[in-house]
Amino acid sequence: MCQHGRVAACRLGVAAAARFVPGATCLTQALSGQYLLARKGNASNIRIGIERGTGEQLKAHAWLVSDNQIVLGGSIDGFAHLVDHGSR
């Protein structure tokens, strides 16, 4: 299977499972996706950012990124990048 197929399967699998996990967050989904991709030999990292312009309230978000493409987490627009974690 090509990497694109693995990424698509990961995205669909994590999204489907998250519907049945109470309290599933962007971070738990990114961690799950990273594990699934790693099992198939695909490098990925978890990107953590905070939303810009939220005043005193801190709003953080996590994305799963593989080959410079967002796998899970949606658009990164409006967020300031803090850190990447994981295999590259």
Side-chain angles (χ1 to χ4, degrees):
M1 183 186 306
C2 69
Q3 181 172 347
H4 177 70
R6 289 180 183 155
V7 168
C10 171
R11 182 182 298 120
L12 292 172
V14 170
R19 290 192 300 261
F20 299 101
V21 178
T25 66
C26 54
L27 182 57
T28 59
Q29 291 177 54
L31 287 164
S32 299
Q34 186 175 45
Y35 173 77
L36 292 173
L37 288 179
R39 284 188 49 170
K40 296 294 185 179
N42 292 92
S44 64
N45 62 342
I46 294 174
R47 180 162 293 165
I48 306 291
I50 57 169
E51 192 172 2
R52 292 185 185 108
T54 58
E56 293 182 17
Q57 186 175 10
L58 179 68
K59 293 183 180 179
H61 191 62
W63 297 264
L64 179 61
V65 179
S66 181
D67 280 342
N68 293 320
Q69 299 293 318
I70 295 173
V71 178
L72 294 166
S75 175
I76 201 163
D77 293 339
F79 288 85
H81 177 248
L82 288 181
V83 67
D84 284 348
H85 174 69
S87 61
R88 300 202 192 276

